[in-house]
Amino acid sequence: QIDEEEVVAFSVPSYACLRRTTLDNHNPVLTDALSLLAENAELSDEDGRGVAFRRAAAVLKALPEPVTGVTQLRGLPCLGGHSLRVIRDILENGASSEVEFTKQSERFKALKVLTGIFGVGAKTAERWIRDGIHSLHQLQESGQTLNRAQQAGLEHYDDLKQPVTKAEADAIGEIVEEAVVSVLPGAQITLIGGFRRGKLTGHDVDFLITHPEEGREVGLMPKVVSWLESQGFLLYQKTTRNSYLEAKDGPARPPSNIDRFERCFSIFKLAEAEKRGTMQTENTPEDTCRLAAHSQATDEGPQRTKPAGGRRRWRAVRVDLVVSPISQFAFALLGWTGSKLFERELRRWAGHEKAMSLSSHALYDNNQGRYLRATSEEEIFTHLGLEYIPPSERNA
Ligand code: GTP
Ligand code: MN
Ligand code: MN
């Protein structure tokens, strides 16, 4: 698919899974602008527009140097009229009026704040905004009923807004590892998500858990969660059971991209000791601007562990755990490493170009009418007729 002819302006293949997208992006102003419009579309339930802006941003992320004029972009894929208008505005005027307008809009600001609460999606935020709720304060005053996730999200809002560092991700990895091998010797954990792609920070930490013997992983998640809970590491958790095998429309049909693994959305309580002393020298009180969330205090509420008058010695961190049987491990690894757009493009490539259906569980060949097995990501790329792209180059 990639032709070798000398490029004059820029040239990139239209599928993100044919491109190598590293973290060093030569056009951050342009990609931030397009990403903001993508986010606004997604928050406004306009997913189609959201994907269009994400694709446009991803094309610019793949360029080898900064764009200086729109003529360089001639012939590039995924740049629609709307995206080009935004790019031209920035290149010629230093800013895009649409982006600036969106950033300043009360609606966008409110959507950002409210969906910034763990457990709150675009639909809920939309409903609250219609009820005149634009801020955390207004939400707290409103008497809206919050579910358990939202209560935890509000309670730990400030912490969860703080990007998670790689050091914190590693510290949590050690805890999860200890949990996993304690309850099932031989079980293995792998860091997935953004950190596997080499990101230095993330909004959460993602782990994939498996065991080399098929079937041994069954029932593992509740045990891991119990262990973590008993050690006081969890501020919140919600475990959902594996439904892939149970699902009536499961293996017989092309797998959908809805995930059916046993997984756990959690909020970890990461103590400073676990952060390897990175905060030891800091002595500013971090908890002065904490929200007085009026959720039902959990039995392990922050107030209890906070030394009287002193600063807290821990922070809340979002952690996602996924358990996969070893037979699906390569698909789970590929599906959970991201980026989200890279994953979407892989599935689009599989479906449109190869008549295959790719999910985080399996790869189905519609022409052959069978599943294609794989024990590594490399094998999946080969099945798909793609050159292997390592995680660090999947940052589309
Ligand atoms: P940050 O956490 O912001 O650093 O980025 P990230 O790339 O790690 O994003 P996130 O943690 O949201 O997701 C990690 C990967 O898991 C992405 O590739 C997602 O596509 C994938 N993912 C997240 N939720 C689901 C899900 O419900 N099903 C499946 N199959 N994949 C998911
Ligand atoms: Mn993540
Ligand atoms: Mn995640």
Side-chain angles (χ1 to χ4, degrees):
Q1 311 300 325
I2 307 161
D3 58 21
E4 294 295 335
E5 70 182 43
E6 278 296 302
V7 289
V8 209
F10 295 121
S11 159
V12 300
S14 70
Y15 284 95
C17 53
L18 295 173
R19 312 193 290 253
R20 297 177 179 271
T21 314
T22 57
L23 285 168
D24 67 313
N25 167 4
H26 301 282
N27 291 281
V29 174
L30 297 177
T31 57
D32 284 354
L34 292 168
S35 300
L36 184 132
L37 295 180
E39 189 180 14
N40 185 49
E42 288 158 0
L43 291 176
S44 307
D45 208 20
E46 295 174 29
D47 288 342
R49 268 158 56 87
V51 171
F53 285 127
R54 295 267 175 223
R55 287 214 179 100
V59 162
L60 299 185
K61 284 182 197 170
L63 300 182
E65 53 192 83
V67 176
T68 51
V70 276
T71 52
Q72 288 176 293
L73 305 176
R74 212 170 279 151
L76 282 183
C78 309
L79 297 180
H82 196 157
S83 293
L84 280 172
R85 210 156 56 236
V86 172
I87 296 167
R88 177 177 292 117
D89 232 7
I90 295 172
L91 292 177
E92 290 174 2
N93 311 316
S96 147
S97 49
E98 182 180 1
V99 171
E100 295 312 308
F101 175 83
T102 303
K103 256 191 223 170
Q104 301 305 320
S105 82
E106 289 306 319
R107 199 188 122 76
F108 179 70
K109 284 194 275 188
L111 281 169
K112 282 279 283 185
V113 169
L114 298 175
T115 58
I117 304 169
F118 169 67
V120 177
K123 294 231 163 64
T124 302
E126 180 68 49
R127 182 160 47 79
W128 287 345
I129 291 170
R130 261 188 274 123
D131 287 348
I133 298 167
H134 289 236
S135 67
L136 298 185
H137 182 73
Q138 286 169 338
L139 177 61
Q140 284 168 327
E141 298 294 289
S142 72
Q144 287 279 345
T145 317
L146 304 182
N147 65 29
R148 209 168 57 84
Q150 294 161 348
Q151 286 174 25
L154 194 52
E155 186 170 347
H156 303 294
Y157 188 85
D158 289 349
D159 274 7
L160 300 185
K161 275 269 119 178
Q162 292 294 318
V164 185
T165 65
K166 182 63 168 57
E168 289 170 332
D170 290 339
I172 290 169
E174 281 172 24
I175 297 167
V176 174
E177 168 116 53
E178 198 184 338
V180 165
V181 300
S182 299
V183 302
L184 181 62
Q188 294 160 1
I189 74 158
T190 308
L191 184 65
I192 47 174
F195 285 112
R196 182 163 184 254
R197 302 197 308 276
K199 281 181 66 182
L200 297 176
T201 61
H203 96 282
D204 68 356
V205 195
D206 310 281
F207 294 100
L208 179 59
I209 304 168
T210 192
H211 190 283
E213 253 174 83
E214 184 85 2
R216 294 290 300 279
E217 82 292 343
V218 172
L220 181 54
M221 189 70 89
K223 290 183 195 148
V224 169
V225 169
S226 298
W227 190 94
L228 290 168
E229 229 151 27
S230 72
Q231 303 281 317
F233 284 123
L234 294 183
L235 295 163
Y236 168 88
Q237 68 84 16
K238 182 172 165 53
T239 304
T240 54
R241 288 187 42 214
N242 181 341
S243 59
Y244 187 65
L245 296 171
E246 300 157 24
K248 294 226 165 49
D249 61 343
R253 272 228 236 130
S256 79
N257 56 27
I258 295 165
D259 207 352
R260 297 198 178 91
F261 287 118
E262 206 176 26
R263 57 186 289 188
C264 176
F265 302 96
S266 75
I267 300 176
F268 260 60
K269 179 174 174 174
L270 184 62
E272 276 184 14
E274 266 93 42
K275 292 162 76 177
R276 299 220 187 76
T278 48
M279 306 282 286
Q280 299 298 342
T281 52
E282 203 178 289
N283 50 21
T284 50
E286 330 163 73
D287 49 354
T288 45
C289 59
R290 304 266 311 154
L291 279 163
H294 68 186
S295 58
Q296 266 87 25
T298 54
D299 40 354
E300 188 98 33
Q303 287 78 7
R304 273 196 210 172
T305 43
K306 199 194 300 180
R311 71 191 171 97
R312 270 187 311 141
R313 305 215 150 263
W314 57 273
R315 70 163 285 198
V317 178
R318 273 272 299 113
V319 176
D320 283 340
L321 305 175
V322 188
V323 171
S324 137
I326 192 74
S327 61
Q328 297 174 16
F329 180 78
F331 297 99
L333 184 61
L334 179 59
W336 287 84
T337 294
S339 69
K340 283 192 184 86
L341 185 74
F342 190 89
E343 302 294 340
R344 175 181 272 276
E345 294 281 278
L346 268 180
R347 293 194 298 268
R348 187 165 70 97
W349 168 268
H352 291 193
E353 307 295 331
K354 298 284 157 180
M356 293 179 185
S357 312
L358 174 68
S359 76
S360 300
H361 297 276
L363 177 63
Y364 185 82
D365 185 326
N366 291 297
N367 289 331
Q368 296 187 54
R370 66 179 185 100
Y371 284 95
L372 305 178
R373 297 190 178 283
T375 56
S376 67
E377 288 181 318
E378 284 86 343
E379 270 181 83
I380 304 172
F381 279 88
T382 303
H383 283 320
L384 290 169
L386 292 170
E387 215 176 286
Y388 178 68
I389 309 278
S392 61
E393 295 176 332
R394 295 180 204 160
N395 286 292

